[in-house]
Amino acid sequence: MTAIMQLSFDVNGAPVVVEVQARTTLADCLRHTLGLTGTHLGCEHGICGACTVIVDDAAVRSCLMLAVQAEGTRVVTVEGLSGDDSLTPLQAAFRKHHALQCGFCTPGMITTLHALLTDEPFADADRIRDVLSGNICRCTGYIPIIEAALEARIAYQGKREDGRR
Amino acid sequence: MKLAPLDYKRPASLQEAIAILAAHDGAALPLAGGQSLIPILAFRLAAPTMLVDLRGVPGLDGIAIGPGGVRLGAMVRWRDIEDEKRLAAAWPLLPAVISHIAHYQIRNRGTVGGSLAHADPAAELPGLAVTCDATIEIVGRDGPREIPASALFVGALSTSLAAGDLIVGMRLPPWRDGRRWAFEEFALRRGDFAIVGVAAYYDLDDAGRVVDAHIGAIGVSEYPIRLTAAEQALNGSPIDDATIAAAARAACAMVEPQDDIHASAAYRRALVGTLTERALARASA
Ligand SMILES: Cc1cc2nc3c(=O)[nH]c(=O)nc-3n(C[C@H](O)[C@H](O)[C@H](O)COP(=O)(O)OP(=O)(O)OC[C@H]3O[C@@H](n4cnc5c(N)ncnc54)[C@H](O)[C@@H]3O)c2cc1C
Ligand code: FES
Ligand code: FES
């Protein structure tokens, strides 16, 4: 029991090798072992969406994944989605529309919307609402978040012309 | 809310997975998407000493569509079903039901085998499996076997699987041309577990009478059930408002839901009637 396991994966574009207990969640590995505290933990049982990260291009809840399950994958956290000098279009849209107040849910909103808009850059307001049903925000009332997502779409549309889904 | 210490293995073959599970005699659990198991471990409602991750086991993924129906591998995720666009014509009730399961991020990981083995009374796939005569493919210590879905579910969160049994796939029988179908669910928010859900399909004979009605419900008992009384009210009759109303009344009368924190028994019973009526109205439209 309490096996310590070696884990190799890619975090925000850089290869990482860490030692973790088998029971460690991906969220705790990112936050505690790697110091990437942008990933927030609200509920630790899959309800709130604050811990969302992107694993192999798919948004997942990092509290519902063991770190060892990420072996060999590419993980992107909210830290990997910010430009160094200026705000990304998604961040700028969040700021413009006041899509955050306390900011606790924001990392999960940004990662989720980045995965969604990369895959479905033409997602309409209904689809965005449907997807964000898995992310709880106790401050904003959601409308500004949806407005920000709708505005940010344009920045993703060049990358995908087919408008999948 | 942290998991208790445990071991973890990622076997590279089905034989190896079965062997590890057998060697631990119930103290090892399979890990698929983890979307139900990890919360259970975080709440410390189960205490396995070993998790056997099925991710490296070949042959458990894949959606096969053919004249014999549809086969879903145990590790097929909700997302994979959503992305398999051929299902809309080949087995339209399946993607319609799956579209109600959980939230975006969970849909990227939750699997067919995990949902069947977890056996939540309000889960959609177990309901579809029971309603539509699915076959469950299992491999255990003594080799492979098959059971009808109706023999899998024995109580809330409990199945007839023996310790160390693995679900490897689920088969749905052939879909008939011209079949009428619908799924109706009531949940508080999109993606939440259903309070009640009703799946229905039927065929029509040359005279326009219903044959082979299949109607089932989730969220009204410890495991999914067929609404046999509603099926009997439909079979042999032309589909019209009166038949639909009779079937809905029969459905209401046969269920025995319990009160719980999400809804009273009376509310769930009323929902069964409403959703049966809506499903049949939509199917016949
Ligand atoms: C917030 C939230 C909302 C959800 N909403 C819904 C919903 O609306 N509808 C719904 O149906 N589900 C819902 N789910 C559950 C989700 O669909 C799960 O993914 C699913 O029930 C279990 O699949 P899994 O692959 O994650 O299994 P896991 O969590 O990995 O495993 C679940 C159980 O099955 C066992 N197991 C796994 N694979 C096998 C196998 N091949 N053979 C034998 N045993 C196996 C495990 O040992 C464990 O006991 C929700 C989950 C969350 C966290
Ligand atoms: S912390 Fe993971 S979903 Fe709430
Ligand atoms: S901004 Fe405070 S929870 Fe969303």
Side-chain angles (χ1 to χ4, degrees), chain B residues 32-72:
Chain B
Q35 305 300 289
S36 295
L37 185 53
I38 304 281
I40 283 176
L41 298 179
F43 281 117
R44 307 213 174 183
L45 298 173
T49 57
M50 158 80 73
L51 295 182
V52 182
D53 191 347
L54 302 180
R55 174 183 166 207
V57 175
L60 295 183
D61 52 358
I63 302 174
I65 301 173
V70 169
R71 180 182 185 278
L72 305 171

Side-chain angles (χ1 to χ4, degrees), chain B residues 55-260:
Chain B
R55 174 183 166 207
V57 175
L60 295 183
D61 52 358
I63 302 174
I65 301 173
V70 169
R71 180 182 185 278
L72 305 171
M75 291 295 279
V76 166
R77 304 167 307 156
W78 308 133
R79 169 73 182 270
D80 301 324
I81 296 175
E82 200 176 317
D83 284 350
E84 177 45 271
K85 298 301 181 202
R86 290 180 304 157
L87 286 170
W91 236 94
L93 185 53
L94 174 62
V97 166
I98 294 315
S99 73
H100 288 262
I101 300 179
H103 308 284
Y104 184 65
Q105 301 93 336
I106 293 162
R107 300 164 64 76
N108 281 327
R109 292 197 61 81
T111 68
V112 164
S115 177
L116 293 171
H118 183 60
D120 192 291
E124 285 85 354
L125 187 76
L128 178 87
V130 167
T131 305
C132 303
D133 302 322
T135 301
I136 311 298
E137 303 171 1
I138 299 165
V139 177
R141 292 177 210 218
D142 304 325
R145 67 180 196 280
E146 297 187 351
I147 58 170
S150 56
L152 179 65
F153 305 104
V154 297
L157 307 183
S158 65
T159 65
S160 60
L161 294 176
D165 275 349
L166 277 180
I167 294 174
V168 294
M170 169 182 140
R171 292 199 314 272
L172 289 162
W175 186 261
R176 255 183 241 151
D177 283 344
R179 178 166 281 175
R180 316 305 302 250
W181 59 275
F183 178 68
E184 291 287 337
E185 165 171 319
F186 184 76
L188 289 184
R189 292 183 313 161
R190 187 90 184 150
D192 281 1
F193 270 105
I195 307 263
V196 173
V198 172
Y201 74 75
Y202 58 84
D203 298 315
L204 291 172
D205 68 11
D206 293 340
R209 286 180 306 248
V210 173
V211 287
D212 206 22
H214 281 58
I215 310 177
I218 53 174
V220 289
S221 62
E222 292 207 325
Y223 47 87
I225 54 165
R226 288 279 286 274
L227 298 171
T228 45
E231 294 172 352
Q232 282 155 19
L234 282 193
N235 281 330
S237 301
I239 194 93
D240 55 26
D241 289 351
T243 328
I244 292 175
R249 274 196 307 275
C252 266
M254 76 164 278
V255 296
E256 289 171 12
Q258 303 288 312
D259 290 320
D260 66 24

Side-chain angles (χ1 to χ4, degrees), chain A residues 2-86:
Chain A
T2 327
I4 304 286
M5 305 191 68
Q6 201 182 63
L7 158 68
S8 324
F9 62 148
D10 194 285
V11 180
N12 296 330
V16 170
V17 180
V18 291
E19 292 198 331
V20 290
Q21 290 187 8
R23 64 163 164 165
T24 307
T25 62
L26 176 59
D28 282 344
C29 173
L30 292 168
R31 289 174 54 82
H32 300 164
T33 315
L34 297 171
L36 294 170
T37 52
T39 298
H40 288 174
L41 279 167
C43 67
E44 292 194 295
H45 63 274
I47 303 296
C48 73
C51 68
T52 304
V53 300
I54 302 171
V55 176
D56 287 344
D57 303 320
V60 306
R61 286 162 161 26
S62 62
C63 72
L64 293 190
M65 205 173 149
L66 299 178
V68 287
Q69 288 180 282
E71 173 70 35
T73 64
R74 282 173 292 113
V75 175
V76 176
T77 68
V78 70
E79 287 91 343
L81 294 179
S82 65
D84 280 343
D85 302 322
S86 55

Side-chain angles (χ1 to χ4, degrees), chain A residues 119-138:
Chain A
D119 226 22
E120 302 172 41
F122 296 90
D124 61 9
D126 271 352
R127 174 67 179 153
I128 292 167
R129 261 185 231 116
D130 182 12
V131 166
L132 290 183
S133 73
N135 291 66
I136 291 175
C137 176
R138 294 293 78 162

